[in-house]
Amino acid sequence: MFKRNNFYKMLDNSYICDLEDNILMKMANGSTNLVDATLLALETGDMAPLIKEELKCTIQSRRLAKGQHEMKVEFPEETKHELTEEEQDKIVKRREQNRLAAQRFRDRKKTNSTSLCKKIQELEADNTQKSYEIRNLRAEKAKLQTMLYEHLLVCPSAKQSIKFEP
C-alpha cells in the first residue's frame, strides 16, 4: 500500500482518473496486460512498462472506435546466426593477433621503463659526481686564494703586479 501511495503522488489527479478508467475498461474486456503493467510499476517504481501498455490500449481503443480490426503486434524471437567455420577461424585468428600485439606492447613498455630507470640512475650518479667535483674545486680555489693572500702579505713587490681581491 505504501508503494501505491507514493506512486499516486507522482502522478496528477487527471492522469490517475484516466488511468483508472482505462484499467477498469480493460479489466472488463478481460485484458490483464495493463493490470500487470500497473502492478509492475507499483512494485518497481518504473513507469515505462505502464506507459507503453497504456499507449497500446489507447491505440487499440481508437482503432476499434473507428471500426478497424484490433492490431496484433508480435515480436519474433531473435534467431542466433551461427557462424561458419571460416568466420570462427577468422575470429580466433584475430583474437590471437590481438593477444600477441598486446603482449608485444607490454614488452616494449617494460623495456622502455627499464631503460628509462637505468638512464635516471646514470644521470643521478653523474650529477652526484659533478656536485662532488664542484665542491672540491671550490675548496681548492679557496685554498689557493688564501695562499696568494698570504704570499702578498710577505712579498710587497708582488702586490704591484697582481690585483687581488680576497
Side-chain angles (χ1 to χ4, degrees), residues 64-99:
L64 292 174
K66 290 179 181 178
Q68 297 173 337
H69 65 281
E70 191 169 322
M71 219 163 102
K72 297 285 183 188
V73 179
E74 295 180 16
F75 297 101
E77 290 186 28
E78 291 183 24
T79 57
K80 284 215 167 200
H81 174 68
E82 293 294 325
L83 298 176
T84 64
E85 194 166 318
E86 182 180 308
E87 290 172 326
Q88 289 175 346
D89 290 342
K90 192 175 182 181
I91 290 172
V92 169
K93 185 178 177 183
R94 192 178 315 131
R95 285 181 182 164
E96 180 67 18
Q97 286 175 341
N98 190 35
R99 186 183 64 76

Side-chain angles (χ1 to χ4, degrees), residues 141-153:
K141 176 186 170 191
K143 182 179 166 186
L144 290 173
Q145 282 179 337
T146 305
M147 286 173 52
L148 179 61
Y149 180 70
E150 289 173 357
H151 177 71
L152 291 177
L153 291 176

Side-chain angles (χ1 to χ4, degrees), residues 101-157:
Q103 185 63 45
R104 283 192 307 270
F105 173 77
R106 287 190 293 270
D107 291 343
R108 261 194 326 270
K109 187 175 176 184
K110 187 175 181 181
T111 303
N112 287 342
S113 176
T114 304
S115 67
L116 285 175
C117 285
K118 285 181 182 178
K119 183 79 170 171
I120 288 171
Q121 288 174 350
E122 290 171 5
L123 290 173
E124 285 177 345
D126 188 45
N127 191 23
T128 303
Q129 188 254 341
K130 287 181 179 177
S131 296
Y132 178 73
E133 190 175 338
I134 288 171
R135 216 180 3 236
N136 287 341
L137 289 172
R138 284 185 178 155
E140 186 178 351
K141 176 186 170 191
K143 182 179 166 186
L144 290 173
Q145 282 179 337
T146 305
M147 286 173 52
L148 179 61
Y149 180 70
E150 289 173 357
H151 177 71
L152 291 177
L153 291 176
V154 177
C155 182
S157 62

Side-chain angles (χ1 to χ4, degrees), residues 13-98:
N13 287 335
S14 63
Y15 184 78
I16 293 172
C17 293
D18 292 343
L19 180 63
E20 288 174 344
D21 291 343
N22 207 347
I23 292 171
L24 291 174
M25 183 179 73
K26 281 298 180 178
M27 287 176 68
N29 292 339
S31 174
T32 60
N33 292 345
L34 191 57
V35 175
D36 292 340
T38 304
L39 292 175
L40 182 64
L42 288 173
E43 289 174 8
T44 63
D46 183 19
M47 297 290 292
L50 178 61
I51 293 171
K52 286 180 182 179
E53 197 58 42
E54 186 181 355
L55 283 172
K56 286 180 194 175
C57 291
T58 304
I59 291 169
Q60 292 292 9
S61 62
R62 286 183 185 168
R63 288 182 63 81
L64 292 174
K66 290 179 181 178
Q68 297 173 337
H69 65 281
E70 191 169 322
M71 219 163 102
K72 297 285 183 188
V73 179
E74 295 180 16
F75 297 101
E77 290 186 28
E78 291 183 24
T79 57
K80 284 215 167 200
H81 174 68
E82 293 294 325
L83 298 176
T84 64
E85 194 166 318
E86 182 180 308
E87 290 172 326
Q88 289 175 346
D89 290 342
K90 192 175 182 181
I91 290 172
V92 169
K93 185 178 177 183
R94 192 178 315 131
R95 285 181 182 164
E96 180 67 18
Q97 286 175 341
N98 190 35

